[in-house]
Amino acid sequence: MNYRIILYIVGWVLNIEAAFMLLPILTGALYGEPDLWAFVVTGALCLAIGGALTFRKPKRQYFYVKEGYVTVSLCWVALSVMGALPFLISGSIPHPIDALFETVSGFTTTGASILPAVEGLPKCILFWRSFTHWIGGMGVLVFLLSLLKLAGGSHMNLMKAESPGPSVTKLLPKVHSTAKILYGIYIAITLLQIVVLLVSGMPLFDAVTTSLGTAGTGGFGIKNDSIASYSPLIQVEVTIFMILFGVNFNAYFLLLLRKWKQAFSNEEVRWYFIIIFAAILLIGWDIRGLYGNLGAAFRHSAFQVGSIITTTGFATTDFNLWPQLSRTVLVLLMFIGACAGSTGGGIKVSRFIILLKSSRKELSQYLHPRQVKKIHMDGKSIDREIIRNVNVFLVVYVLIFAFSMLVLACDGTDLVTNFTAIAATINNIGPGLELVGPSANFGLFSCPAKLVLIFDMLAGRLEIFPLLLLFVRDTWRKF
């Protein structure tokens, strides 16, 4: 285990976090808020610790998969702990576990909040909540990879550990260049949304924070009713951008290269849009009697389907009051999630495609035991290693889910609340149903339950295994 390079990268992440603090400081200065000093103090602490860890460059700058997983997990823990300090110092969230919950929810782009109301918070705090979504959406390590040069295949080991999906591919031969392209696309679409919302009449601060939350598929709003009070046009625009950020960013890269056929023939992206379209039609028809006209019903249906499948978590209405069929469809979408290689969470569409194809292959194998059949996606054969990884991922996912259910049951809350609270956190969505619905919050849970949900949020964002390795004894042994 190359401990020195791990600490070196953690230090650089803290340095970057210190630089990120400049934006909420600027926001506080523009609005004349004294709470900006909470970010000044936090930024100074991040810079002091980060500077100490990066003062001397390690002689051995390479590391392997194990170090990559451990580095990513420790970076996210350090990022969250330091990111919680502004809430504590400013007094916006006085309890440490609540502050950590809110911060982890932000960085993991979950959007589950313990705050009963947000409109009374200082602008700099509101900006920081939304900005944590944008930072965590593409991944702070991906941002670091676009700046920092490491030896050998170390870049790829970091990207594999942080990027969502069953497999990670490079857009260009160098991971360094791939990271720059990913962030370039990410920034461009974010800026485009800000401009579109401004043209539609949304105030600048609202447009910026909403776009940051949409880009990271997070869901922290600056209003108590989320997006409900904005115009139908703005709601439609946010719907479109939520769905766009749930698409695999490789497709955008192919579009930039004008490889139209490859971009539009992606099997995962195709099924992603088919699922969205089918869910919108089903829910829109089911809730048609709850709204004034069919158009309004389908607008709310499209928004919530886009919000849930991309794991953004914004809301235009209290879908907890919808009929059982509609609520059931939304819960199923929570587990499906967005595309691999996007900023969305969930199990991912690609994993479900692989699982369904694997099941079909096994059924065929029972009928024709001697046949040799491979699973294909996008015209390419899927490695056995990826199939095994998907199967193991699902098993561990279910075990964590079951353990979390047992812990939350000790709080005495009802089954639907507990089930959807865990689904909303481990899939990085935000709101659930019943007591954790879109008009409620997660403040009702005890501290042990919140710690479990914090773990679930981190496990969901990091695809489970990098975080679990921190608890394996052999991870820390020197071989």
Side-chain angles (χ1 to χ4, degrees):
M1 179 76 78
N2 190 346
Y3 292 107
R4 187 66 191 90
I5 188 65
I6 292 173
L7 292 175
Y8 181 73
I9 295 174
V10 171
W12 268 110
V13 166
L14 292 178
N15 287 339
I16 292 172
E17 186 170 19
F20 284 150
M21 292 289 167
L22 294 174
L23 288 177
I25 289 171
L26 178 62
T27 304
L30 288 173
Y31 288 96
E33 297 171 336
D35 300 271
L36 67 85
W37 287 104
F39 296 98
V40 173
V41 173
T42 304
L45 284 172
C46 288
L47 201 58
I49 298 171
L53 293 175
T54 58
F55 179 72
R56 185 171 296 175
K57 202 169 186 179
K59 292 180 180 178
R60 292 191 303 138
Q61 295 181 36
Y62 61 87
F63 54 92
Y64 303 102
V65 175
K66 180 175 70 172
E67 282 93 342
Y69 282 1
V70 171
T71 301
V72 167
S73 297
L74 291 179
C75 283
W76 277 77
V77 171
L79 192 74
S80 300
V81 170
M82 298 305 291
L85 292 182
F87 294 117
L88 287 170
I89 297 170
S90 66
S92 300
I93 305 177
H95 196 285
I97 292 180
D98 286 346
L100 183 62
F101 183 98
E102 196 80 6
T103 308
V104 171
S105 181
F107 281 124
T108 59
T109 72
T110 303
S113 180
I114 51 85
L115 294 167
V118 296
E119 291 182 16
L121 293 175
K123 289 283 197 299
C124 57
I125 293 293
L126 289 174
F127 178 85
W128 177 241
R129 288 175 80 243
S130 297
F131 193 39
T132 55
H133 284 330
W134 194 86
I135 295 169
M138 185 57 67
V140 68
L141 268 298
V142 174
F143 181 77
L144 181 62
L145 292 179
S146 67
L147 303 175
L148 190 64
K149 290 186 177 181
L150 298 172
S154 301
H155 274 133
M156 197 61 196
N157 289 329
L158 283 177
M159 183 169 273
K160 281 181 180 178
E162 189 178 46
S163 299
S167 63
V168 179
T169 55
K170 293 186 288 186
L171 303 180
L172 292 174
K174 291 185 178 181
V175 179
H176 185 73
S177 302
T178 298
K180 284 185 176 180
I181 290 172
L182 287 173
Y183 250 96
I185 296 171
Y186 190 48
I187 292 169
I189 303 177
T190 305
L191 292 175
L192 177 62
Q193 185 181 357
I194 292 173
V195 172
V196 169
L197 293 178
L198 285 172
V199 171
S200 301
M202 184 180 268
L204 178 60
F205 183 78
D206 298 41
V208 170
T209 52
T210 301
S211 298
L212 293 176
T214 307
T217 59
F220 277 155
I222 61 170
K223 293 184 180 294
N224 295 334
D225 62 2
S226 190
I227 309 294
S229 57
Y230 294 110
S231 68
L233 174 61
I234 288 174
Q235 292 176 5
V236 171
E237 290 168 350
V238 173
T239 302
I240 293 170
F241 278 99
M242 284 191 297
I243 293 172
L244 289 177
F245 278 110
V247 174
N248 191 321
F249 274 53
N250 288 8
Y252 296 133
F253 178 67
L254 292 172
L255 289 175
L256 288 174
L257 296 179
R258 297 184 180 180
K259 296 182 178 180
W260 315 107
K261 188 176 180 180
Q262 285 181 256
F264 291 109
S265 64
N266 185 288
E267 194 171 349
E268 182 186 28
V269 174
R270 188 166 63 247
W271 276 106
Y272 169 71
F273 281 107
I274 290 172
I275 293 168
I276 289 174
F277 184 71
I280 290 172
L281 288 179
L282 183 58
I283 293 177
W285 184 255
D286 189 44
I287 64 172
R288 66 191 184 281
L290 299 179
Y291 299 96
N293 54 72
L294 199 60
F298 277 101
R299 174 166 50 83
H300 288 298
S301 172
F303 188 96
Q304 292 312 145
V305 167
S307 179
I308 295 299
I309 196 170
T310 62
T311 71
T312 306
F314 283 141
T316 56
T317 185
D318 188 356
F319 55 80
N320 192 43
L321 303 176
W322 284 1
Q324 290 296 335
L325 175 61
S326 297
R327 299 203 309 166
T328 301
V329 172
L330 290 180
V331 171
L332 292 175
L333 293 178
M334 287 182 182
F335 291 95
I336 295 173
C339 298
S342 70
T343 61
I347 293 175
K348 303 293 181 300
V349 175
S350 58
R351 283 197 177 96
F352 277 101
I353 294 173
I354 292 170
L355 286 168
L356 288 173
K357 289 188 174 185
S358 297
S359 300
R360 188 173 63 184
K361 176 191 170 185
E362 288 302 315
L363 287 173
S364 179
Q365 204 84 40
Y366 279 115
L367 297 174
H368 310 285
R370 296 192 178 187
Q371 77 171 357
V372 178
K373 189 175 182 181
K374 289 188 175 182
I375 298 172
H376 293 82
M377 182 179 282
D378 297 327
K380 298 178 182 178
S381 176
I382 300 174
D383 293 338
R384 286 176 177 242
E385 183 68 18
I386 294 176
I387 298 171
R388 184 189 66 83
N389 181 276
V390 169
N391 293 331
V392 174
F393 175 90
L394 193 63
V395 170
V396 179
Y397 178 97
V398 171
L399 290 174
I400 293 174
F401 202 103
F403 174 77
S404 302
M405 282 287 290
L406 288 173
V407 175
L408 264 64
C410 296
D411 273 15
T413 43
D414 65 274
L415 184 63
V416 174
T417 296
N418 292 342
F419 184 88
T420 56
I422 296 164
T425 50
I426 198 170
N427 294 314
N428 306 130
I429 294 164
L433 298 175
E434 300 298 346
L435 300 180
V436 291
S439 61
N441 62 81
F442 285 69
L444 65 114
F445 291 110
S446 64
C447 287
K450 286 174 184 172
L451 289 173
V452 168
L453 294 175
I454 287 171
F455 176 86
D456 289 347
M457 287 188 282
L458 285 169
R461 175 59 183 83
L462 299 179
E463 305 276 278
I464 296 176
F465 297 114
L467 192 64
L468 287 183
L469 280 177
L470 294 180
F471 303 95
V472 178
R473 185 172 57 182
D474 285 351
T475 301
W476 307 100
R477 286 181 177 175
K478 290 185 178 181
F479 293 99

